[in-house]
Coordinates of all heavy atoms in Angstrom, one line a residue:
N176 N -13.4 -6.9 -13.0 CA -14.2 -7.5 -14.0 C -15.6 -7.6 -13.3 O -16.0 -8.5 -12.6 CB -13.6 -9.1 -14.1 CG -14.5 -9.9 -15.0 OD1 -15.4 -9.3 -15.6 ND2 -14.2 -11.1 -15.2
V177 N -16.3 -6.4 -13.5 CA -17.6 -6.2 -12.8 C -18.7 -5.8 -14.0 O -18.4 -4.9 -14.8 CB -17.6 -5.1 -11.8 CG1 -19.0 -5.0 -11.2 CG2 -16.6 -5.5 -10.7
T178 N -19.8 -6.5 -13.9 CA -21.0 -6.0 -14.8 C -21.9 -5.4 -14.0 O -22.3 -5.9 -12.9 CB -21.6 -7.3 -15.5 OG1 -20.6 -8.1 -16.0 CG2 -22.7 -7.0 -16.5
L179 N -22.2 -4.1 -14.3 CA -23.2 -3.4 -13.6 C -24.5 -3.2 -14.2 O -24.5 -2.8 -15.5 CB -22.6 -2.0 -13.2 CG -21.4 -2.1 -12.3 CD1 -20.7 -0.6 -12.2 CD2 -21.7 -2.4 -10.9
T180 N -25.6 -3.3 -13.6 CA -26.9 -3.2 -14.2 C -27.8 -2.2 -13.5 O -27.9 -2.4 -12.2 CB -27.6 -4.6 -14.3 OG1 -26.7 -5.5 -14.8 CG2 -28.9 -4.6 -15.1
H181 N -28.4 -1.3 -14.3 CA -29.1 -0.3 -13.6 C -30.6 -0.7 -13.7 O -31.3 -0.8 -14.7 CB -29.1 1.0 -14.5 CG -30.0 2.2 -13.9 ND1 -30.5 3.0 -14.7 CD2 -30.3 2.3 -12.6 CE1 -31.3 3.9 -14.0 NE2 -31.2 3.5 -12.7
Q182 N -31.0 -1.3 -12.6 CA -32.5 -1.8 -12.5 C -33.0 -2.0 -11.0 O -32.2 -2.1 -10.1 CB -32.7 -3.0 -13.4 CG -32.2 -4.2 -12.7 CD -32.8 -5.6 -13.3 OE1 -32.4 -6.1 -14.3 NE2 -33.9 -6.1 -12.6
D183 N -34.2 -2.2 -10.8 CA -34.8 -2.6 -9.6 C -34.4 -4.0 -9.3 O -34.7 -4.9 -10.1 CB -36.3 -2.4 -9.7 CG -37.0 -2.8 -8.4 OD1 -36.3 -3.4 -7.6 OD2 -38.2 -2.7 -8.4
A184 N -33.7 -4.3 -8.3 CA -33.1 -5.7 -8.1 C -34.2 -6.7 -7.7 O -34.0 -7.9 -7.7 CB -32.1 -5.5 -7.0
I185 N -35.4 -6.1 -7.4 CA -36.6 -7.1 -7.0 C -37.3 -7.7 -8.2 O -38.0 -8.5 -8.1 CB -37.5 -6.3 -6.0 CG1 -36.8 -5.9 -4.7 CG2 -38.7 -7.0 -5.7 CD1 -35.9 -7.1 -4.1
Q186 N -36.9 -7.0 -9.4 CA -37.5 -7.6 -10.6 C -36.6 -8.6 -11.2 O -35.4 -8.6 -10.8 CB -37.8 -6.4 -11.5 CG -38.8 -5.4 -10.8 CD -39.4 -4.4 -11.6 OE1 -39.6 -4.6 -12.8 NE2 -39.7 -3.3 -11.0
D187 N -37.1 -9.3 -12.1 CA -36.1 -10.4 -12.7 C -34.8 -9.9 -13.1 O -34.7 -8.9 -13.8 CB -36.8 -11.1 -13.9 CG -38.0 -12.0 -13.4 OD1 -38.2 -12.1 -12.2 OD2 -38.9 -12.3 -14.3
L188 N -33.8 -10.6 -12.8 CA -32.4 -10.2 -13.2 C -31.9 -11.1 -14.3 O -32.1 -12.3 -14.3 CB -31.5 -10.3 -11.9 CG -31.8 -9.5 -10.7 CD1 -30.9 -9.8 -9.6 CD2 -31.8 -8.0 -10.9
L189 N -31.2 -10.6 -15.3 CA -30.6 -11.3 -16.3 C -29.1 -11.7 -16.0 O -28.3 -10.9 -16.4 CB -30.8 -10.5 -17.6 CG -30.8 -11.4 -18.9 CD1 -31.9 -12.3 -19.0 CD2 -30.6 -10.4 -20.1
M190 N -29.0 -12.8 -15.2 CA -27.6 -13.1 -14.9 C -27.5 -14.6 -14.6 O -28.5 -15.2 -14.2 CB -27.1 -12.2 -13.9 CG -27.6 -12.5 -12.4 SD -26.9 -11.4 -11.2 CE -27.3 -9.8 -11.7
D191 N -26.3 -15.1 -14.7 CA -26.0 -16.4 -14.4 C -25.9 -16.6 -12.8 O -25.6 -15.5 -12.2 CB -24.7 -17.0 -15.0 CG -24.8 -17.1 -16.5 OD1 -25.9 -17.4 -17.0 OD2 -23.8 -16.9 -17.2
P192 N -26.2 -17.9 -12.3 CA -26.1 -17.8 -10.8 C -24.7 -17.5 -10.3 O -23.7 -17.7 -11.0 CB -26.5 -19.4 -10.6 CG -26.9 -19.9 -11.9 CD -26.5 -19.0 -13.0
V193 N -24.6 -17.2 -9.0 CA -23.4 -16.8 -8.4 C -23.1 -17.7 -7.2 O -24.0 -18.2 -6.6 CB -23.5 -15.3 -8.0 CG1 -23.7 -14.3 -9.2 CG2 -24.6 -15.0 -6.9
D194 N -21.8 -17.6 -6.8 CA -21.4 -18.4 -5.6 C -21.7 -17.7 -4.3 O -21.9 -18.3 -3.4 CB -19.8 -18.6 -5.7 CG -19.5 -19.4 -7.0 OD1 -19.8 -20.5 -7.1 OD2 -18.9 -18.7 -7.9
V195 N -21.5 -16.3 -4.4 CA -21.7 -15.5 -3.1 C -22.4 -14.3 -3.5 O -22.2 -13.6 -4.6 CB -20.3 -15.1 -2.6 CG1 -20.4 -14.2 -1.3 CG2 -19.5 -16.4 -2.2
V196 N -23.4 -14.0 -2.7 CA -24.1 -12.6 -2.6 C -23.7 -11.9 -1.5 O -23.7 -12.4 -0.3 CB -25.6 -12.7 -2.7 CG1 -26.3 -11.3 -2.6 CG2 -26.1 -13.6 -3.9
V197 N -23.1 -10.8 -1.6 CA -22.8 -9.8 -0.5 C -23.4 -8.5 -0.6 O -23.5 -8.0 -1.8 CB -21.2 -9.7 -0.3 CG1 -20.6 -8.9 -1.5 CG2 -20.9 -9.0 0.9
S198 N -24.1 -8.0 0.3 CA -24.9 -6.8 0.2 C -25.2 -6.1 1.5 O -25.6 -6.7 2.6 CB -26.2 -7.1 -0.6 OG -26.6 -5.8 -1.1
D199 N -25.1 -4.8 1.5 CA -25.5 -3.9 2.5 C -26.9 -3.5 2.2 O -27.1 -2.5 1.3 CB -24.5 -2.7 2.6 CG -24.9 -1.7 3.6 OD1 -26.0 -1.8 4.3 OD2 -24.2 -0.7 3.8
L200 N -27.9 -4.2 2.7 CA -29.2 -4.1 2.1 C -29.9 -2.7 2.3 O -29.8 -2.3 3.6 CB -30.2 -5.3 2.6 CG -29.6 -6.6 2.3 CD1 -30.6 -7.7 2.9 CD2 -29.6 -6.8 0.8
P201 N -30.7 -2.2 1.4 CA -31.6 -1.1 1.8 C -32.7 -1.5 2.7 O -33.2 -2.6 2.6 CB -32.1 -0.7 0.4 CG -32.1 -1.9 -0.4 CD -30.9 -2.7 0.0
V202 N -32.9 -0.7 3.7 CA -33.9 -1.0 4.8 C -35.1 -0.2 4.7 O -34.9 1.0 4.4 CB -33.2 -0.8 6.1 CG1 -34.2 -1.1 7.3 CG2 -31.9 -1.8 6.3
G203 N -36.2 -0.8 4.8 CA -37.4 0.0 4.8 C -38.4 -0.7 3.9 O -38.3 -2.0 3.7
Y204 N -39.5 -0.1 3.5 CA -40.5 -0.6 2.7 C -40.3 -0.5 1.2 O -39.7 0.4 0.7 CB -41.9 0.1 2.9 CG -42.3 -0.1 4.3 CD1 -42.5 0.9 5.3 CD2 -42.8 -1.5 4.7 CE1 -42.9 0.6 6.6 CE2 -43.2 -1.6 6.0 CZ -43.3 -0.7 7.0 OH -43.8 -0.9 8.2
Y205 N -40.6 -1.7 0.5 CA -40.5 -1.7 -0.9 C -41.8 -1.2 -1.4 O -42.9 -1.7 -1.2 CB -40.3 -3.2 -1.4 CG -40.1 -3.3 -2.9 CD1 -39.0 -2.8 -3.6 CD2 -41.1 -3.9 -3.6 CE1 -39.0 -3.0 -5.0 CE2 -41.1 -4.2 -5.0 CZ -40.0 -3.6 -5.7 OH -39.9 -3.8 -6.9
P206 N -41.8 -0.2 -2.4 CA -43.0 0.5 -2.9 C -44.0 -0.4 -3.8 O -45.2 0.0 -3.7 CB -42.6 1.7 -3.4 CG -41.2 1.5 -3.9 CD -40.6 0.5 -3.0
L207 N -43.5 -1.2 -4.5 CA -44.3 -1.9 -5.6 C -44.9 -3.1 -5.0 O -44.3 -4.3 -5.2 CB -43.5 -2.1 -6.8 CG -42.7 -0.8 -7.3 CD1 -41.9 -1.2 -8.6 CD2 -43.7 0.2 -7.8
D208 N -46.2 -3.1 -4.5 CA -46.8 -4.3 -4.0 C -47.0 -5.4 -5.0 O -46.9 -6.5 -4.6 CB -48.1 -3.9 -3.3 CG -47.9 -2.9 -2.1 OD1 -46.8 -2.9 -1.5 OD2 -48.9 -2.3 -1.7

Side-chain angles (χ1 to χ4, degrees):
N176 181 7
V177 180
T178 306
L179 295 168
T180 309
H181 178 216
Q182 76 159 84
D183 176 356
I185 296 309
Q186 304 192 26
D187 290 348
L188 305 173
L189 200 67
M190 69 178 62
D191 292 331
V193 299
D194 301 287
V195 176
V196 176
V197 62
S198 199
D199 176 356
L200 298 178
V202 175
Y204 291 113
Y205 178 71
L207 308 175
D208 295 341

